[in-house]
Amino acid sequence: MPELNYALDTFYFLICGVLVMWMAAGFAMLEAGLVRSKNTAEILTKNIVLFAIACTMYLLIGYTLMYASSAGGFLPSLGFLIGEENSVDAVLAGGDDAPYYSARADFFFQVVFVATAMSIVSGAVAERMKLWAFLAFAVVMTALIYPVSGFWTWGGGWLSELGYSDYAGSGIVHLAGASAALAGVLVLGPRRGKYGRNGAIYAIPGANMPLATLGTFILWMGWFGFNGGSELKVSDIGSANNVAQVLLNTNAAAAGGVIGALILAKLWFRKADLTMILNGAIGGLVAITADPLSPTGLGATLIGAIGGAIVLVGIVTLDKLRIDDPVGAISAHGIAGIWGVMVVPFTNSDASFGPQLIGTVAIFSWVFIASLIVWLILKAIIGIRVSEEEEYEGVDLVECGLEAYPEFMVGGNR
């Protein structure tokens, strides 16, 4: 019965959206654990406010830009708010053109993806960016930058017509977030004391590894909604089987990412570096997101293992280039995202390398260049970096007027 299938798929879509929303908590906990205690309240403030901004701006303009434009185009049509809900007659009519879930459910599921892309930026620019500059960028990112490349792909634009394949967003979401983060980090510069003369690199440990580990587990859990919901329906046997395979592969890739990062860390650093292992899990999840349906469970494990390992290579390489990313977000979401997109044709016969490469370059170029322009404008107008004294004292007091751990604060360099 169409109405029962519609109700089931709508409910499934909404629950998956809730799981993806829970990833916001994962990002907040992971980032709070990987920054110093004097910057914890500010990073938490950024995470909850960026989520609110993403929800509001995507409601006002972003969703319409992404999904209400003509198929195959390059520039999306300008519009505001979301459209009408599906009518009862349209649902009961059945057939291939009948909607199989609520339009409001679709918006809810899509908006939490936008917030995920923006969350990637917050960790990379942590500990030295002005809060209000970051929030101003979040407005532009979620209202314009992300929806334009989203229209090119999921919205039926030119990349979709070209044959670009990205099931749940290794490129569309994760590479986009990492590209915006890279632009911001390049304009912002590294934290004080991170790099010395003659190529010296100094570790700046995070304050709370249990919190960072909890955040990673929350992200791992939320990813089941991220990838599972991207099947879009569950009301028929084929879709139900697909969802089961997607969740199996998502879990397998995360496990592979952990193992790959662990082995490489032991071989390279002679230590089981927890921060690298946590990023390995995320790298594995990001890598499988471009196609969590086609591989076998063992294939997904291998894809995740390579994703987890290359995250370590990316983190070390960026440090050598003096590109300071406190939480490893650019590597975990950007480099692993590229790997995820480009590996799709190995397991999915409907995809080919040409469109995957073009899509990767297009998404990176658009988001990076647009973000760079916005960051430079913000730098010229209001400035994006706190002063050296404020950075030493910690952005918690400077931006929020409070400290996350006041009973433990005994000096500036904590």
Side-chain angles (χ1 to χ4, degrees):
M1 298 178 65
E3 62 269 32
L4 292 180
N5 290 344
Y6 182 89
L8 177 60
D9 290 332
T10 294
F11 179 74
Y12 173 71
F13 218 22
L14 291 171
I15 293 300
C16 286
V18 170
L19 278 172
V20 180
M21 187 272 175
W22 182 231
M23 291 173 67
F27 279 113
M29 296 301 97
L30 175 63
E31 293 170 16
L34 293 180
V35 301
R36 287 167 288 181
S37 55
K38 63 181 179 180
N39 301 310
T40 305
E42 194 264 356
I43 200 78
L44 295 173
T45 301
K46 286 199 302 185
N47 272 273
I48 193 167
V49 178
L50 77 83
F51 189 86
I53 289 173
C55 292
T56 303
M57 297 312 300
Y58 200 64
L59 174 67
L60 290 175
I61 186 173
Y63 182 77
T64 301
L65 281 176
M66 193 162 167
Y67 287 106
S69 304
S70 300
F74 184 82
L75 292 176
S77 302
L78 182 64
F80 300 94
L81 302 176
I82 58 177
E84 298 295 325
E85 185 54 272
N86 299 323
S87 68
V88 174
D89 290 341
V91 174
L92 294 180
D96 294 337
D97 295 331
Y100 46 87
Y101 51 75
S102 162
R104 266 48 180 176
D106 181 66
F107 168 80
F108 179 69
F109 187 71
Q110 298 298 334
V111 76
V112 289
F113 276 58
V114 184
T116 297
M118 190 61 215
S119 293
I120 296 166
V121 183
S122 64
V125 301
E127 300 202 299
R128 73 272 200 209
M129 174 169 277
K130 291 181 178 180
L131 174 64
W132 288 94
F134 173 83
L135 298 180
F137 177 80
V139 171
V140 183
M141 176 71 176
T142 57
L144 177 63
I145 298 175
Y146 173 91
V148 168
S149 53
F151 158 66
W152 293 348
T153 50
W154 286 336
W158 69 278
L159 282 178
S160 175
E161 293 291 310
L162 187 67
Y164 174 76
S165 178
D166 195 352
Y167 185 97
S170 290
I172 297 167
V173 179
H174 296 279
L175 176 59
S179 302
L182 177 61
V185 168
L186 291 176
V187 176
L188 189 61
R191 291 168 290 175
R192 307 287 180 184
K194 176 63 178 175
Y195 304 114
R197 296 179 180 176
N198 301 318
I201 301 171
Y202 300 105
I204 303 179
N208 196 323
M209 290 300 102
L211 204 60
T213 305
L214 173 64
T216 303
F217 272 119
I218 292 173
L219 287 169
W220 192 327
M221 176 183 174
W223 231 285
F224 295 130
F226 200 97
N227 288 353
S230 295
E231 177 64 20
L232 305 181
K233 60 186 300 189
V234 73
S235 58
D236 59 77
I237 295 173
S239 296
N241 287 340
N242 286 349
V243 168
Q245 185 67 45
V246 165
L247 265 61
L248 184 154
N249 285 347
T250 300
N251 190 64
V258 169
I259 295 169
L262 171 64
I263 292 173
L264 183 56
K266 180 61 177 176
L267 293 174
W268 198 348
F269 312 132
R270 305 300 181 190
K271 301 291 183 183
D273 188 319
L274 176 61
T275 61
M276 296 297 184
I277 293 168
L278 298 179
N279 271 311
I282 296 171
L285 287 161
V286 170
I288 200 62
T289 295
D291 187 0
L293 177 59
S294 300
T296 63
L298 185 59
T301 304
L302 180 60
I303 290 170
I306 296 173
I310 62 176
V311 168
L312 271 69
V313 177
I315 290 172
V316 172
T317 301
L318 289 180
D319 255 348
K320 290 181 178 179
L321 294 173
R322 304 174 77 89
I323 298 174
D324 183 18
D325 177 0
V327 305
I330 296 170
S331 298
H333 298 273
I335 297 175
I338 292 171
W339 159 246
V341 170
M342 294 310 300
V343 79
V344 170
F346 283 107
T347 58
N348 185 345
S349 60
D350 293 331
S352 55
F353 290 106
Q356 297 301 97
L357 179 60
I358 293 171
T360 298
V361 172
I363 292 169
F364 172 80
S365 300
W366 158 249
V367 178
F368 178 81
I369 294 171
S371 298
L372 186 64
I373 292 170
V374 175
W375 288 125
L376 290 172
I377 291 172
L378 290 171
K379 182 179 181 180
I381 296 175
I382 63 175
I384 64 172
R385 182 161 186 153
V386 299
S387 69
E388 185 174 352
E389 294 76 16
E390 290 170 336
E391 184 178 342
Y392 178 82
E393 183 62 25
V395 290
D396 281 4
L397 287 175
V398 172
E399 298 286 10
C400 303
L402 53 82
E403 296 170 315
Y405 308 106
E407 64 273 27
F408 300 123
M409 300 295 117
V410 286
N413 193 25
R414 49 198 183 268

